Amino acid sequence: MKRTRVLHWGLGAMGAGAARMVLGKQGLELAGAVCRTPSKLGKDIGDILGVGKTGAQVSSSLAEALGRGPADIVIHATGSFTREVYGQLVEAVHAGLDVITIAEEMAYPWVGEPELARSLDELAKAKGVTVLGTGVNPGFVLDTLVITLTGACIRVDSIRAARVNDLSPFGPTVMRTQGVGTTLEEFQAGVAAGNIVGHVGFPESMTMIAKAIGWELDEIKQEKQPIVSKVYRETPHVKVQPGMVAGCNHTAWGYMDGRVVITLEHPQQIHPGLAGVETGDYIWITGEPNINVANKPEVPGGIGTIATSVNMIPLVRAAAPGLLTMADLPLPRATMGRS
Amino acid sequence: MKRTRVLHWGLGAMGAGAARMVLGKQGLELAGAVCRTPSKLGKDIGDILGVGKTGAQVSSSLAEALGRGPADIVIHATGSFTREVYGQLVEAVHAGLDVITIAEEMAYPWVGEPELARSLDELAKAKGVTVLGTGVNPGFVLDTLVITLTGACIRVDSIRAARVNDLSPFGPTVMRTQGVGTTLEEFQAGVAAGNIVGHVGFPESMTMIAKAIGWELDEIKQEKQPIVSKVYRETPHVKVQPGMVAGCNHTAWGYMDGRVVITLEHPQQIHPGLAGVETGDYIWITGEPNINVANKPEVPGGIGTIATSVNMIPLVRAAAPGLLTMADLPLPRATMGRS
């Protein structure tokens, strides 16, 4: 069997994790990496992963990486927003590579950047390659799984899904963007200023669900509420006194004909257990029949994002050209030989 | 939008339920039905469903039905086994119709009838139509959902899934085929004679999962154990004294390299609540990460089978020709307009 040659654009926690996963899969081969961190340039990817030599090097640009050897597909992990990563995606498509990106907005880019999405779709079709946005969320828990479960429903009246997770393992950037350790006033000011962002991906997941099942949403509303702690909580990066903010409860509502038909919730905080909160992925569908799914604990964010990005490689390689979503492709699956 | 014309082959509980669902969907149109029950022949399907005139009639053969008007796709619900329904499927394919069948073995017919599967695949490709086997199980809970969940896994070590349901609503045929109301001796004799069949579909679900994630199973073992009741249970069709059999606990194990890697369980009994058993669909994946999903209560068998068969219509209409499985098609979904 000819192995698929995978190029990693971005070697942060997600990109490096994906490279490590690729190394463990029979049908995949590490082709190289593109990274902007000076200390990693020119190194063997295996040295960065701490797994010994792989023969695949880190380059400073896509052109340099492809000069070192050919690739079939890019795993792209450099940013969250379509506008921010668009130029890189175009460059990969122009080079004739399939692309899987974990940029959250790219899970359903038509909702945030319809013109960029249209251009990228046309370009991908012209170049005969496939572009997919995926990840644990958006990309899996609050959209792919929800859509799949509606398949067993004669009728869907409304959908509510929640991803309840624990931020304790994350670093200072996540603490800052979720408002962990702020006072109530600081939290409100951070939300107003756009520094406390909550979850990126609700409009994307919601529109993906709606389109898949044939709903047209009139409006999407979102709200970020502080999770005020009643108890002391701390991590290596932050201390939260009682009365301070332990995280951000971000909720989105999708309306059709003036009625909320989709509610997506993502309360993220450090040490939810200290507040009696059980983490998990929850999906409730009201209809015929009702569906009441829980995955406890939740799919870990990092592992889930790494897994979905790499697991989709064979499906993307086999797919029709264009800019696709998880709803366009066959069932996701762990794949590539005895894993 | 041009509506898809659906012909129902078989008007038992499942076929009639599918016809009722089709009537409620914007993008679908009832084209007719084929049925062997003399009292239904020539009638308007709406009269049989108790919903008024639909203009679609019940015919005694496919040729007669197509003589009354054209169709695009057949929902086929006349039997469980590939060999039993093969002739009907071939007839529908020869007529140039896409086919969705709920025959359990057809969810993955290569495992039970590889030659018939190959022939049907070739014929479907030659005629440019698509054939799919689906249903709640096999077709959804113990295969489609399991495969989808592995998509979030970097590594899968083993899979266990259980569908725990309540047989109380079912009629005398189900009581007989699951051994409800038998003595222990009668149960063992019934299993040996092949009259107590348990669940049809384990090798199909198991092989579908294995193939999807790149495993090759060496062997599949199955066992049907009596669920002996400690308490009195009854339904309109059966009385179970303490010490008698309330149902059949059917389990299957898939082996790879001498190790069990997939376990599928389907304990079916009347009034499981009287034995403290909570019904539900359960999926446990051991790997990286572990997955621990529960849907409580279970997707009801009838509703789930009706829903999956009708919901897959647009995906089957858009699919490449050939004999396909749920793992080949995009995510299942409730579909066809505001439902």
Side-chain angles (χ1 to χ4, degrees):
Chain A
M1 179 171 71
K2 195 167 171 310
R3 301 205 294 176
T4 297
R5 298 163 297 191
V6 185
L7 190 69
H8 295 268
W9 197 331
L11 279 181
M14 295 303 101
R20 189 176 286 110
M21 179 170 169
V22 162
L23 276 174
K25 297 291 171 181
Q26 286 183 351
L28 303 179
E29 181 178 307
L30 214 51
V34 179
C35 172
R36 63 178 185 186
T37 311
S39 63
K40 294 180 182 168
L41 294 181
K43 288 199 175 156
D44 189 293
I45 299 173
D47 288 336
I48 291 169
L49 300 177
V51 297
K53 298 292 177 199
T54 65
Q57 259 103 50
V58 182
S59 303
S60 62
S61 72
L62 183 63
E64 186 189 334
L66 293 175
R68 284 184 153 130
D72 300 306
I73 189 166
V74 168
I75 299 284
H76 174 270
T78 72
S80 294
F81 304 100
T82 299
R83 190 161 289 274
E84 172 194 9
V85 301
Y86 183 73
Q88 296 175 342
L89 302 180
V90 165
E91 202 181 329
V93 169
H94 263 299
L97 302 170
D98 289 324
V99 180
I100 294 173
T101 175
I102 61 165
E104 285 94 325
E105 284 191 348
M106 282 294 299
Y108 200 89
W110 293 272
V111 68
E113 299 282 0
E115 285 178 32
L116 296 186
R118 204 159 31 241
S119 300
L120 195 58
D121 182 49
E122 280 169 18
L123 182 64
K125 283 175 177 150
K127 302 296 289 186
V129 302
T130 306
V131 179
L132 171 74
T134 191
V136 76
N137 188 39
F140 193 78
V141 173
L142 293 184
D143 37 46
T144 294
L145 263 186
V146 174
I147 291 167
T148 302
L149 287 165
T150 68
C153 296
I154 288 180
R155 201 186 74 246
V156 175
D157 298 327
S158 64
I159 294 168
R160 180 178 160 223
R163 179 161 163 79
V164 182
N165 66 342
D166 184 353
L167 292 181
S168 308
F170 290 90
T173 308
V174 169
M175 296 305 134
R176 202 165 52 239
T177 57
Q178 303 301 326
V180 182
T182 60
T183 64
L184 254 177
E185 294 68 31
E186 288 166 347
F187 185 91
Q188 304 295 7
V191 168
N195 304 321
I196 295 175
V197 295
H199 171 60
V200 178
F202 276 140
E204 289 72 18
S205 291
M206 201 166 261
T207 311
M208 201 193 310
I209 295 169
K211 289 278 180 195
I213 69 173
W215 282 351
E216 286 287 345
L217 298 180
D218 308 320
E219 192 183 1
I220 295 173
K221 288 186 186 168
Q222 297 191 60
E223 193 176 74
K224 301 178 196 84
Q225 289 288 349
I227 300 172
V228 179
S229 191
K230 289 183 174 158
V231 297
Y232 179 72
R233 314 186 196 184
E234 72 166 90
T235 78
H237 300 287
V238 70
K239 292 182 201 308
V240 176
Q241 302 293 341
M244 282 173 68
V245 175
C248 177
N249 187 9
H250 194 166
T251 306
W253 298 272
Y255 289 79
M256 189 166 67
D257 302 334
R259 189 173 71 88
V260 173
V261 290
I262 307 180
T263 305
L264 300 180
E265 305 167 12
H266 197 0
Q268 305 196 75
Q269 62 192 296
I270 60 166
H271 297 303
L274 293 177
V277 172
E278 195 177 15
T279 65
D281 300 311
Y282 303 91
I283 299 170
W284 301 277
I285 299 171
T286 304
E288 185 183 4
N290 294 333
I291 301 277
N292 173 31
V293 161
N295 173 49
K296 293 191 279 196
E298 80 281 14
V299 177
I303 292 175
T305 295
I306 291 164
T308 48
S309 68
V310 175
N311 283 332
M312 293 308 289
I313 291 175
L315 296 175
V316 165
R317 290 289 294 157
L323 173 57
L324 303 181
T325 76
M326 289 295 281
D328 299 316
L329 287 165
L331 306 180
R333 63 199 66 186
T335 192
M336 304 309 294
R338 300 189 173 192
S339 48
Chain B
M1 179 171 72
K2 197 167 172 306
R3 301 205 295 176
T4 298
R5 298 163 297 190
V6 185
L7 190 69
H8 295 269
W9 197 331
L11 281 180
M14 294 302 100
R20 189 176 288 109
M21 180 171 167
V22 163
L23 276 174
K25 296 291 171 182
Q26 287 182 350
L28 304 179
E29 180 179 308
L30 214 52
V34 179
C35 171
R36 64 179 185 185
T37 311
S39 63
K40 294 180 183 167
L41 294 181
K43 287 199 175 156
D44 188 293
I45 298 172
D47 288 336
I48 291 168
L49 300 177
V51 297
K53 298 292 178 199
T54 65
Q57 258 104 49
V58 181
S59 303
S60 62
S61 72
L62 183 64
E64 186 189 333
L66 293 175
R68 284 184 153 130
D72 300 306
I73 189 165
V74 168
I75 299 285
H76 174 271
T78 72
S80 293
F81 303 100
T82 300
R83 191 161 287 275
E84 171 194 11
V85 301
Y86 182 73
Q88 296 175 342
L89 301 180
V90 165
E91 203 181 327
V93 169
H94 263 298
L97 302 170
D98 288 325
V99 181
I100 295 173
T101 175
I102 62 165
E104 285 94 327
E105 283 192 349
M106 282 295 298
Y108 201 89
W110 293 271
V111 67
E113 298 284 359
E115 285 178 32
L116 297 185
R118 203 156 33 238
S119 300
L120 194 58
D121 181 49
E122 280 169 18
L123 182 64
K125 282 176 177 150
K127 302 297 287 186
V129 302
T130 307
V131 179
L132 172 73
T134 190
V136 75
N137 189 39
F140 192 78
V141 173
L142 294 184
D143 37 48
T144 293
L145 264 186
V146 173
I147 292 167
T148 303
L149 287 165
T150 67
C153 296
I154 288 180
R155 201 186 75 246
V156 175
D157 298 327
S158 63
I159 293 168
R160 179 178 161 222
R163 180 162 162 79
V164 182
N165 66 342
D166 184 354
L167 292 181
S168 307
F170 289 90
T173 308
V174 169
M175 296 304 135
R176 202 165 52 240
T177 57
Q178 303 301 327
V180 182
T182 60
T183 63
L184 254 177
E185 294 68 31
E186 288 166 346
F187 185 92
Q188 305 294 7
V191 167
N195 304 320
I196 295 175
V197 296
H199 171 60
V200 178
F202 276 139
E204 288 73 17
S205 290
M206 202 166 260
T207 311
M208 200 192 310
I209 295 169
K211 289 278 180 195
I213 69 173
W215 282 352
E216 287 287 343
L217 298 180
D218 308 321
E219 191 184 2
I220 295 173
K221 288 185 186 170
Q222 295 191 62
E223 192 177 75
K224 300 177 195 82
Q225 288 289 349
I227 299 172
V228 178
S229 191
K230 288 184 174 158
V231 297
Y232 178 73
R233 314 185 196 185
E234 73 166 87
T235 78
H237 300 286
V238 70
K239 292 182 201 307
V240 176
Q241 303 293 341
M244 283 174 66
V245 175
C248 177
N249 187 9
H250 193 167
T251 306
W253 298 272
Y255 289 79
M256 189 166 67
D257 302 334
R259 187 172 72 88
V260 173
V261 289
I262 307 180
T263 305
L264 299 180
E265 305 168 11
H266 197 1
Q268 305 196 74
Q269 62 192 298
I270 61 167
H271 298 303
L274 294 176
V277 173
E278 194 177 15
T279 66
D281 300 311
Y282 303 91
I283 298 170
W284 301 277
I285 299 172
T286 304
E288 184 184 4
N290 293 333
I291 301 276
N292 172 32
V293 161
N295 173 49
K296 294 192 277 196
E298 81 280 15
V299 177
I303 291 175
T305 295
I306 290 164
T308 48
S309 68
V310 175
N311 283 333
M312 293 308 289
I313 290 175
L315 296 175
V316 165
R317 290 288 293 158
L323 173 57
L324 303 182
T325 76
M326 289 294 281
D328 299 316
L329 287 165
L331 307 180
R333 63 199 67 185
T335 193
M336 303 309 293
R338 300 188 173 193
S339 48

